[in-house]
Amino acid sequence: MVRSGRKIVESASRITAALVFLGAVFLNSQDAWAQLKAGTGKSNITASNCGEVHDSLFVKVLVLENGTFRAAIITMDVVAIGSIGAIPDSFLPEITTRIKNEFKIEHVLVCASHNHLDGFLNGGGKIGSDVAGKTISAVKMAMANLEPVKVGAGKGFENRFAMNRRIRLKDGKVFTIRHATPNTQDDQIAGLGEIDPEIGILKMERRDGTMKAVVYNYACHPYTGVPDKGVTAEFPGFASRTIENQLGHQCMAFFIQGAAGDITEVLYKDTNDPRDCEPFGLMLGSSILNALKHIDTGHADQLSVVSETVSLPLRSDIPIQLDTLLQEEKRVLASLRSTSLNLKTFIPLYIKYSLSPDFPAYDAEQYLLEKKRGFSGLNNMDEANKKDIEKYIRNVHAMEKLTQIQEDRYQLLLRLEDIKRLGGDLVSVQIMAMCIGDFILVSFPGEPFSEVGLKIKESSPFPNTFIAGYSNGYLHYAPTAGSYSQKGYEVMNCILAPEWQEVYQEKISALVKQLKTSKKSIWK
C-alpha cells in the first residue's frame, strides 16, 4: 500500500512537472503572437508665457505590445523633427535611446504633423524647453495603462479642404501657391494637380467595446492658422479633439501626416475672410467618425516592424539652377520699360478705365460734343493713358517675376549649404514599415509629394497601406522625379536628386514584403 502510494505520488509529480514544462513552452511560444496591447499618453508641450494660445500643442504616445515585443508611435504638433523649427536635431536620438533603455521599446516612430503654427510662422518661442522630458513622461503614462485591444483598419474620404498647390502652367512649368510670392496670372493657368483624399484609419477598442485609440493618416499642409493668430495645433488638433469628444472614454486620437509635400488647405491666400483652419478640422473629424462606423474590430495579435538605413542621392545641379535664374533675371530686368505713372496715379486711372473703357475721362456727352466740334483731345488722351496703364502692368508683372526669382535663389542657396554640410553624394536616412493588425504604415523623413504616397499604396499587397511623412527626421521636400523639370518652390527647396524616388520606393516595397512574410509565419 505504501509502495503503491509512492508510485501514485511519483507519477503525479512527473505529470505536474510535465505540465509545468509544457506550459512554459506554450507561454514562450505565445510571445510572438500574444494578444495585442495598447497604452496611450500625452503631454502639453506649449511654452508658458508664449503669447496668445488658441489651443495647446501636444506630444502623444501610443505604445503597442505583443508579448515581449514593443513599439511606439509618437505624434507631435510641430513643424518638423529636427532641421527646422524648435525641435533640435538632438531630440530624436536622445528620446529613442532613452525609450529603448528605460522601457525596452525597440522601434519608435516619431511623426510631426508639420504644423506651421507651432512658432515656425508666428514668432517662435511657442514650444516649451523640456520637450524630451515631456515626451518621456507621455511614454510612462502610456506604459502604465497598457491593456488588451481589438483592432480594425479601414479608410475614410475627405476632399473638401485640401488642394494641390502646384498649379500647372501653359508653358509646361509649375507655380506653387505661397505667401512668399505673388500668384501667377490667371491666363497662364492650365490646370491643377491631384490630391489623395483617402484617410487611413486604425481603430482600437478595449474588451468592453469602448474606444481606446484612433490613429488616422491624411495628407495636407497645416498652415492656415486661426483668426486670433494664436498658437494652434491647426486642423489636426481640431480633428483630434472632435474625435475624442465624440467617442469619450478617454479615447486618444493620433494624427499622422501623409505625403503632403504638394498639398495645401484651400483659400490659403484668402484676403476677404479671417484665416481659420477650425472648419477644416471639423470636416476631417466628422469624416473619420463616419468611417469608424464601418470598420469592424477583432482579436489582433499582429505587431511587426522592419526598418532599414537607406542612402538617397543628393542633387548636384544647384549651381546650374542658380546660373539659369541669373540669366532669367537679366531677361526680366531688360523687359522693364519707362512709364510716366507711379502707384498714386496708376490706381485711379486703372479704376476709371476699367469702369468705363469707352468713356473713361468724362460722361459720354462730352465725347460726343468734342466729336461734333471736330476735336479728338479726349480720345488722344485716353489712348496715351491706356498705353501707360499697359506699360505699368507689364512692369508690375515683371517685378512679381523678379520676386519669384529672388525667392527661388534664396531657397536654392539654403539647400546648397545643407548639401555641403552633409558632404558626399548620398544622405543616409532611416525608413520603417510597421504592421498593426491589417494597418500598414511606412515612413519617410521629409515631404514627399502625394503621387509618391499613391504609388506606394498601389504597389502594396496590403489594402490598408499608408505613408507617414515627416517622420524620424526631416530632409525638406521630396518631389517626384518628373517634377524637377517643372520647377516650382518644392523643387527649389530640395536637397535630393530625382533618383531618390525610385530608390525609396524599391526599399519600401522590400520592407513591406518582409512584413508580409512575417505576417504569414505568425498566422501559420
Side-chain angles (χ1 to χ4, degrees):
M1 187 71 180
V2 173
R3 287 182 179 178
S4 176
R6 284 179 180 174
K7 287 182 180 180
I8 293 173
V9 170
E10 289 173 358
S11 177
S13 297
R14 285 195 295 269
I15 292 171
T16 301
L19 288 173
V20 169
F21 173 77
L22 290 172
V25 171
F26 177 77
L27 288 173
N28 286 335
S29 67
Q30 288 297 299
D31 279 348
W33 56 85
Q35 169 69 49
L36 183 66
K37 294 181 180 180
T40 59
K42 70 176 181 179
S43 295
N44 190 327
I45 58 173
T46 316
S48 57
N49 302 319
C50 66
E52 185 71 30
V53 176
H54 186 281
D55 54 283
S56 295
L57 309 173
F58 288 94
V59 55
K60 294 181 177 180
V61 176
L62 174 65
V63 172
L64 302 166
E65 182 181 278
N66 182 359
T68 59
F69 179 73
R70 290 174 183 160
I73 296 175
I74 299 175
T75 63
M76 304 182 73
D77 296 327
V78 299
V79 70
I81 309 301
S83 185
I84 62 173
I87 305 300
D89 292 338
S90 60
F91 172 80
L92 186 62
E94 177 186 349
I95 65 155
T96 51
T97 300
R98 288 187 61 182
I99 290 171
K100 180 177 180 179
N101 293 338
E102 296 177 28
F103 306 102
K104 310 304 179 187
I105 298 175
E106 291 293 325
H107 297 281
V108 181
L109 183 64
V110 186
C111 310
S113 68
H114 200 44
N115 173 28
H116 286 51
L117 281 303
D118 69 339
F120 185 65
L121 290 183
N122 52 340
K126 312 301 183 185
I127 296 176
S129 57
D130 189 21
V131 179
K134 291 184 177 180
T135 301
I136 297 300
S137 295
V139 177
K140 290 179 180 177
M141 190 184 308
M143 290 292 296
N145 65 72
L146 278 167
E147 58 183 319
V149 289
K150 299 178 292 182
V151 302
K155 301 170 184 176
F157 183 87
E158 178 53 63
N159 69 348
R160 292 171 291 179
F161 70 89
M163 67 171 288
N164 195 305
R165 69 179 184 179
R166 285 173 59 82
I167 310 301
R168 297 199 303 269
L169 304 179
K170 292 177 180 178
D171 64 1
K173 304 297 183 184
V174 159
F175 169 80
T176 302
I177 300 175
R178 295 185 66 226
H179 273 296
T181 51
N183 279 5
T184 192
Q185 297 153 46
D186 291 341
D187 60 1
Q188 296 181 7
I189 296 175
L192 304 177
E194 299 300 321
I195 69 167
D196 181 2
E198 188 174 77
I199 312 167
I201 303 174
L202 174 65
K203 180 179 181 180
M204 292 188 161
E205 289 181 339
R206 300 179 181 90
R207 285 175 171 173
D208 63 3
T210 60
M211 202 74 71
K212 175 74 174 183
V214 175
V215 179
Y216 64 103
N217 171 254
Y218 188 70
C220 184
H221 262 70
Y223 53 17
T224 292
V226 288
D228 61 17
K229 299 187 181 298
V231 174
T232 175
E234 246 279 342
F235 77 79
F238 292 114
S240 292
R241 191 181 312 157
T242 298
I243 296 165
E244 292 167 355
N245 288 343
Q246 288 296 314
L247 297 177
H249 300 283
Q250 296 183 317
C251 170
M252 198 171 292
F254 296 82
F255 171 74
I256 296 180
Q257 183 63 266
D262 52 351
I263 309 299
T264 182
E265 296 156 313
V266 296
L267 302 176
Y268 169 53
K269 295 183 69 170
D270 186 14
T271 57
N272 298 306
D273 297 290
R275 299 175 67 182
D276 190 2
C277 64
E278 184 170 2
F280 305 151
L282 296 178
M283 291 178 195
L284 182 59
S286 64
S287 294
I288 293 165
L289 289 168
N290 287 333
L292 285 170
K293 299 173 184 176
H294 307 287
I295 298 175
D296 295 326
T297 61
H299 175 86
D301 44 31
Q302 175 58 24
L303 173 64
S304 61
V305 181
V306 288
S307 63
E308 185 174 335
T309 298
V310 58
S311 295
L312 300 178
L314 294 169
R315 67 191 301 184
S316 59
D317 66 330
I318 289 183
I320 297 173
Q321 297 298 331
L322 288 169
D323 184 66
T324 300
L325 287 174
L326 179 61
Q327 300 307 315
E328 187 176 7
E329 181 184 66
K330 291 179 178 179
R331 180 186 61 78
V332 176
L333 282 170
S335 72
L336 291 170
R337 288 293 179 268
S338 61
T339 172
S340 64
L341 302 180
N342 60 14
L343 184 64
K344 183 177 180 179
T345 54
F346 166 74
I347 291 176
L349 276 180
Y350 182 77
I351 292 173
K352 285 201 305 182
Y353 281 77
S354 297
L355 284 173
S356 180
D358 296 326
F359 310 109
Y362 297 99
D363 291 332
E365 65 269 16
Q366 295 298 321
Y367 284 82
L368 295 174
L369 180 61
E370 187 174 81
K371 183 177 181 181
K372 189 172 184 179
R373 292 173 176 174
F375 299 142
S376 57
L378 289 175
N379 286 327
N380 291 339
M381 179 185 70
D382 289 342
E383 184 177 351
N385 284 339
K386 287 177 181 178
K387 287 182 179 179
D388 281 338
I389 289 171
E390 291 172 0
K391 287 181 184 178
Y392 194 88
I393 291 175
R394 282 199 299 270
N395 284 349
V396 168
H397 289 161
M399 288 186 285
E400 290 176 350
K401 185 62 178 176
L402 288 172
T403 301
Q404 180 73 62
I405 292 171
Q406 293 303 312
E407 179 65 16
D408 287 348
R409 177 182 292 154
Y410 173 74
Q411 298 297 337
L412 282 171
L413 288 171
L414 288 177
R415 301 294 76 82
L416 182 60
E417 288 301 312
D418 289 339
I419 293 171
K420 288 179 179 177
R421 281 194 296 271
L422 289 168
D425 302 322
L426 302 169
V427 58
S428 295
V429 299
Q430 183 198 44
I431 58 175
M432 182 183 294
M434 180 180 291
C435 176
I436 309 165
D438 293 325
F439 185 83
I440 310 297
L441 200 60
V442 301
S443 72
F444 183 80
E447 307 197 41
F449 278 16
S450 57
E451 183 181 327
V452 175
L454 289 168
K455 286 184 179 297
I456 287 172
K457 292 178 179 183
E458 291 168 3
S459 63
S460 173
F462 301 109
N464 294 310
T465 299
F466 311 99
I467 182 171
Y470 312 84
S471 298
N472 284 3
Y474 184 74
L475 285 179
H476 301 281
Y477 285 92
T480 56
S483 299
Y484 285 76
S485 62
Q486 299 173 325
K487 310 299 183 184
Y489 164 68
E490 299 84 0
V491 174
M492 300 301 169
N493 195 3
C494 170
I495 65 172
L496 301 175
E499 294 77 14
W500 81 269
Q501 183 183 1
E502 182 178 359
V503 174
Y504 171 71
Q505 288 179 178
E506 286 181 357
K507 290 293 185 181
I508 280 296
S509 179
L511 292 186
V512 170
K513 287 178 181 177
Q514 290 182 48
L515 285 178
K516 185 176 183 180
T517 301
S518 172
K519 190 168 185 178
K520 280 184 176 179
S521 65
I522 285 176
W523 282 99
K524 282 181 180 179

